[in-house]
Structures are given as C-alpha cells and as structure tokens.
Amino acid sequence: MKKNLQGYFFLMPALVVMSIFIVVPIGYAFFLMFFQVDLLSGTRTFVGLDNFVKIWNDPKFWAAFQNTTKYVAVVVPIQTILALMLATLLNSKIKFNRAFLTIMFIPTLTSSSAMTLIFMWLFNNNGLVVNALSSVGIEVQFLTNPNLALTVIMVMNIFSTIPHFMIVFLSGLQDIPGSIYEAASIDGANRIKQFTNVTVPQLMPVTFYVLIMGIVGCFQIFDQAFILSDGTGGPQNSTLTFTLYIYQLAFSSNDMGRATALAFVLGLIIFVVTFFVNNILKPDEVNG
C-alpha cells in the first residue's frame, strides 16, 4: 500500500493537469450537449436530444460529413502508400539518402498555417500554378471552384504529412531482422514476394499506427480549411469540415450546445472508424 501511494503521489501532478484540461472539459461538454447554451448571456435551457435532431436536419452537417469523409478516403490511403514507398526507397541504401531525408522532412517542420498560405499563393486565381496552366492553354481556377477547392487542401495535407509517416515506416523497416529476408530468399522468394510476404506483415503494427494517426488527423482538420475559406467553408460549403462547422456553431452562431453535440458525433465517428480498422488489420496478432 505504501509503494502504491508513493506511485500515485508521483503521478499526481500529471493526473491533476489531465483532469483539469481533459477530463473536466469532456465531462462539461457532455453535459452541455443536452442544453441550448448562450455564451454571451451565460444562460442555458435544457432541450434534451433536440440538438442532435437539429444536426440531423441541417444541410451543412451533411456537407461537412461528405467533405470530411471524402477527405479521409483520399488523403489517408495516398499518404500511407507514398510514405511506405519513400521509406522503402531510403531503406534500400540509395546514395545521398541523408540529404534526401533532410529535404523531405522540411514540410513537416513548417507550420500548417504557413503551409496553407504558401498553397494559397500557388493556387489562387493569379497564382503560380494557375498561370503555368494558363500558359499552356488550360484555364482553371482552384480556390473559387467548389469541385477543386477541397483538392488543394488534400494535396497540401499529403505533401506535409508524408515526411513524418515516412520516418515512422523507415524506423519499422530497420527493425525487421535481416535473417527473415535471408530465409525467404533461400526459399526462392524474389524481391516482390519478400515485400508482400515479409515486409508488409512485419510492418502491420506500424501501418496501424500510421493509419490511425492519419484518420484522426484528417477527421480533425481545421486550420487549413479555416484559412483557405476565411472561416466560411466556401465556396458553396465545399471546404466545410466537421471541426470548422463546430467552430462556426460555437463562435459564429453562439450555439455551444449544438457545437458540443456535433463534437460528440465526430468523436463517435472516429471511434467507430478506428474500431473497424483495428478489427481488420489486427496488429496485435502479428507474429502471434
């Protein structure tokens, strides 16, 4: 008992901080989602499940759901595959791999706000990309086109997140024992079969981590969409995401109750998706 009390004593500072900044806000948000809350006057009225009914009947919710789902479905697979390919290339001992690794890691060191401004400069109506395409006879607008505005954010996110996941995959590749590849080679497996039958299964826990972090990050995207659309989610709600819509409900519409209800819905969606990914990949059963 004395040793346990000593352990809890040393954990107490971290537990206090977590309680104040994580547990209490989550509990209070769970409480607020059943109320209509006016932040300015500080009043709240119990409405039960009415906030969820309003969300279900709100066209902007379905626009945010469609945009975020599309974003996750496109960005997560592409960034995972490209990161794995680049990590495999670096692990093959190519020349100048350290310089290549340093250059590739620069986007990760750049803040997302600065990266968004760079891409806005590249893809605005007078930007470098638009002018380059116009010079070859291709007239296209990106940031003002509802069909392409979200694509710009996708490209930006893929470009900025690949280096981090590439390092994670590279670490996993270097932890795979060389004896496994030697055994596979003796059994007649070529490079392709070694990759599919040895590398991919051995990397499953790492792949699970990359997928989960990518899914959670994509579902929680906010700053890029906010800066790109000036907080409106435009054009025509084409860049409206869950978190941006939560921000609009809480601080533009002064409806904190509906904002917390939508945050709960988002958390539930992330939990369900990660649960299915965990059951499909089964990373804890690798080599078990």
Side-chain angles (χ1 to χ4, degrees):
M1 178 64 69
K2 183 178 180 180
K3 290 183 178 179
N4 289 336
L5 290 176
Q6 288 176 344
Y8 284 117
F9 176 77
F10 285 111
L11 285 173
M12 190 59 64
L15 293 176
V16 171
V17 171
M18 291 178 61
S19 298
I20 294 175
F21 293 102
I22 298 178
V23 177
V24 173
I26 290 176
Y28 187 58
F30 186 83
F31 169 77
L32 286 182
M33 68 185 181
F34 299 106
F35 289 82
Q36 182 179 353
V37 183
D38 189 329
L39 288 177
L40 299 179
S41 63
T43 60
R44 59 175 181 262
T45 305
F46 181 76
V47 294
L49 299 177
D50 187 57
N51 286 324
F52 294 95
V53 175
K54 289 181 179 178
I55 290 173
W56 182 266
N57 296 325
D58 190 350
K60 294 188 70 173
F61 164 76
W62 293 108
F65 179 84
Q66 180 180 356
N67 294 335
T68 309
T69 303
K70 184 194 301 183
Y71 187 87
V72 173
V74 173
V75 172
V76 173
I78 293 178
Q79 71 183 9
T80 303
I81 293 172
L82 290 179
L84 178 58
M85 292 174 60
L86 290 173
T88 304
L89 184 64
L90 285 173
N91 197 50
S92 63
K93 312 301 181 183
I94 60 172
K95 290 185 178 180
F96 310 113
N97 59 345
R98 293 299 174 187
F100 177 75
L101 183 62
T102 303
I103 295 173
M104 280 293 299
F105 207 71
I106 290 176
T108 302
L109 302 177
T110 307
S111 69
S112 59
S113 300
M115 188 67 66
T116 305
L117 293 176
I118 292 172
F119 270 75
M120 288 179 66
W121 172 74
L122 289 172
F123 288 93
N124 64 34
N125 293 344
N126 294 315
L128 183 64
V129 175
V130 174
N131 290 335
L133 293 175
S134 179
S135 65
V136 295
I138 302 176
E139 299 294 337
V140 61
Q141 304 295 330
F142 289 95
L143 302 185
T144 57
N145 188 336
N147 297 320
L148 295 177
L150 187 63
T151 305
V152 175
I153 303 179
M154 290 179 182
V155 173
M156 176 174 53
N157 193 288
I158 292 171
F159 176 75
S160 60
T161 55
I162 280 179
H164 169 71
F165 293 138
M166 177 187 67
I167 297 298
V168 175
F169 273 124
L170 182 60
S171 176
L173 287 170
Q174 293 177 346
D175 284 340
I176 300 177
S179 57
I180 300 179
Y181 290 104
E182 293 176 3
S185 179
I186 293 173
D187 289 339
N190 56 26
R191 290 295 181 89
I192 297 178
K193 289 185 177 180
Q194 288 180 23
F195 180 80
T196 56
N197 297 326
V198 176
T199 304
V200 173
Q202 290 292 320
L203 284 178
M204 194 58 67
V206 177
T207 305
F208 174 75
Y209 167 81
V210 171
L211 286 174
I212 293 301
M213 294 304 295
I215 289 171
V216 173
C218 287
F219 269 115
Q220 294 180 344
I221 179 175
F222 170 76
D223 47 352
Q224 297 96 327
F226 180 86
I227 296 173
L228 196 76
S229 66
D230 196 22
T232 64
Q236 299 179 22
N237 293 329
S238 60
T239 59
L240 184 67
T241 62
F242 273 125
T243 50
L244 179 55
Y245 188 37
I246 291 172
Y247 171 86
Q248 290 179 354
L249 288 175
F251 301 107
S252 298
S253 302
N254 193 27
D255 193 348
M256 183 60 73
R258 194 146 53 109
T260 54
L262 182 56
F264 175 80
V265 172
L266 175 59
L268 183 62
I269 291 174
I270 295 175
F271 174 80
V272 171
V273 173
T274 53
F275 175 80
F276 278 108
V277 172
N278 185 35
N279 278 271
I280 292 173
L281 295 183
K282 295 182 173 58
D284 54 330
E285 297 182 6
V286 176
N287 298 327

